[in-house]
Amino acid sequence: MLNYFLKGEKGTRLRFIGMLLSAMLVLLSVFTLTQKGLNFGLDFTGGYLTEFTTSQSVELKELQSFIAKNHNGEFELTAQGNSHFQLREAPSASTTANSLDWQSAVTQNDDINAQVLSSAYIGSQVGDELFDQGCLAMFAAMIAVMIYLAVRFEWRLAVGSVVALVHDLILVLGLFSLLQIEFNLTVLASLLAIIGYSLNDSIIVGDRVRELLRVPSNNVLSPATIINNAIKSTLTRTLITSGTTLATVASVWLLAGAPLQGFAIALFTGIVVGTFSSICIAATLPELLGLSAKNYEVKVDAHTQTLLDMP
């Protein structure tokens, strides 16, 4: 099998090398997830969430430095507007003394003159329920995808698309684990978006492969050549779609601020690896499983064949 790919066309060799690279990245991601885990945000771990406003515009970095002088634990400060802020504290850091110290400091400072709007504790039980519901939503989406693919495609193409989908999710989770980026509900929502985007890419390539396999004149071509031709015919469309989507997500990443940063990073990564996997996995794995034009030949019984042969 290795010699078959190495001695094949250039496109076939590149797809095979890409699939090996994907396999190594998946193993690395799984190892990272088992060793470091995910850095769950307050949506899952619980903690205090305090919202406050300032009488005038204050730079986020300056306000963060000021609060750090009056806060002994870890916290996350995000800007909701020019003078509207949210401060999140983990349960271990959100002690009564800490809360009183930093709140007194920002409300009594003349340059900041903050006013606390609300301060609430998010229980871990709420986080557990949200996490369970999010996982159930993702699982339901995966089941729906597999049912759709099983009906629409030959099983080898369906398996390739599902494996590519799982590959994309594992790589995104591995990146978040490696960099310890906060994993919150917006990131979980981005994973559902990645499922849809990855599926779209895989279906475009798989549909083109199926069309070319059904053309009688292509029966003399090898499956590798047919798959390479399918990728070439869809590559321009894939790159344009991915490029425009990446530009939009990059704008959200750079301009939307901290609240949507995790969402944008996950979606950006998912689009890149999804485009890669639709070529190197969704199109290559069916070839390894024996996909050929014979799988799309119309089967007729002996009686029907006799009627067709009659003058």
Side-chain angles (χ1 to χ4, degrees), residues 169-216:
L169 295 177
I170 291 177
L171 289 193
V172 172
L173 292 175
L175 178 66
F176 271 71
S177 176
L178 180 65
L179 302 180
Q180 286 296 289
I181 303 172
E182 181 182 340
F183 188 91
N184 51 35
L185 284 178
T186 59
V187 177
L188 188 61
S190 72
L191 294 182
L192 295 174
I194 290 170
I195 289 176
Y197 193 90
S198 176
L199 178 63
N200 177 67
D201 259 359
S202 298
I203 285 178
I204 289 174
V205 176
D207 195 53
R208 186 57 179 161
V209 170
R210 183 182 61 174
E211 288 179 359
L212 294 181
L213 287 173
R214 285 177 168 176
V215 177

Side-chain angles (χ1 to χ4, degrees), residues 2 32 90 104 118 124 157 168 173 179 184-185 192 220 238 240:
L2 180 61
T32 305
S104 299
S118 64
S124 58
L157 286 172
D168 299 343
L173 292 175
L179 302 180
N184 51 35
L185 284 178
L192 295 174
V220 296
T238 299
I240 291 176

Side-chain angles (χ1 to χ4, degrees), residues 12-242:
T12 305
R13 293 197 301 271
L14 291 176
R15 285 191 288 110
F16 183 67
I17 293 172
M19 190 174 64
L20 292 179
L21 177 61
S22 295
M24 289 187 290
L25 290 175
V26 167
L27 292 176
L28 178 62
S29 297
V30 172
F31 176 78
T32 305
L33 284 167
T34 55
Q35 294 299 313
K36 302 180 68 174
L38 292 170
N39 178 24
F40 289 105
L42 288 182
D43 296 330
F44 303 114
T45 62
Y48 281 96
L49 174 64
T50 304
E51 291 193 39
F52 62 95
T53 58
T54 57
S55 59
Q56 56 189 359
S57 298
V58 182
E59 290 292 333
L60 180 63
K61 292 183 179 180
E62 295 179 3
L63 183 58
Q64 189 167 3
S65 299
F66 180 81
I67 294 177
K69 297 177 182 178
N70 299 275
H71 197 295
N72 297 324
E74 295 183 358
F75 65 90
E76 179 187 354
L77 182 68
T78 57
Q80 306 299 310
N82 294 332
S83 57
H84 188 186
F85 299 91
Q86 279 187 349
L87 189 139
R88 296 169 178 255
E89 303 168 272
S92 58
S94 53
T95 62
T96 304
N98 271 335
S99 298
L100 292 178
D101 286 343
W102 77 262
Q103 289 185 27
S104 299
V106 296
T107 54
Q108 295 176 8
N109 186 282
D110 294 333
D111 295 329
I112 300 176
N113 193 19
Q115 179 181 0
V116 177
L117 300 178
S118 64
S119 182
Y121 178 76
I122 304 174
S124 58
Q125 183 62 35
V126 175
D128 291 340
E129 291 178 2
L130 291 174
F131 182 75
D132 291 341
Q133 291 173 1
C135 290
L136 284 174
M138 187 179 299
F139 181 73
M142 292 286 290
I143 294 298
V145 165
M146 283 188 268
I147 294 174
Y148 170 77
L149 292 174
V151 173
R152 182 174 176 84
F153 290 117
E154 204 270 340
W155 71 268
R156 295 172 181 84
L157 286 172
V159 169
S161 298
V162 172
V163 172
L165 190 58
V166 175
H167 159 274
D168 299 343
L169 295 177
I170 291 177
L171 289 193
V172 172
L173 292 175
L175 178 66
F176 271 71
S177 176
L178 180 65
L179 302 180
Q180 286 296 289
I181 303 172
E182 181 182 340
F183 188 91
N184 51 35
L185 284 178
T186 59
V187 177
L188 188 61
S190 72
L191 294 182
L192 295 174
I194 290 170
I195 289 176
Y197 193 90
S198 176
L199 178 63
N200 177 67
D201 259 359
S202 298
I203 285 178
I204 289 174
V205 176
D207 195 53
R208 186 57 179 161
V209 170
R210 183 182 61 174
E211 288 179 359
L212 294 181
L213 287 173
R214 285 177 168 176
V215 177
S217 60
N218 286 337
N219 290 342
V220 296
L221 300 177
S222 66
T225 301
I226 294 175
I227 291 174
N228 290 338
N229 292 339
I231 292 174
K232 290 176 184 177
S233 63
T234 59
L235 188 60
T236 301
R237 174 183 176 179
T238 299
L239 292 179
I240 291 176
T241 304
S242 299

Side-chain angles (χ1 to χ4, degrees), residues 254-274:
L254 298 175
L255 303 176
L260 289 178
Q261 191 174 58
F263 174 86
I265 292 174
L267 203 53
F268 191 94
T269 307
I271 292 171
V272 173
V273 299

Side-chain angles (χ1 to χ4, degrees), residues 278-294:
S278 65
I279 296 173
C280 297
I281 297 179
T284 305
L285 188 58
E287 184 181 351
L288 289 175
L289 295 175
L291 182 69
S292 66
K294 294 181 180 180

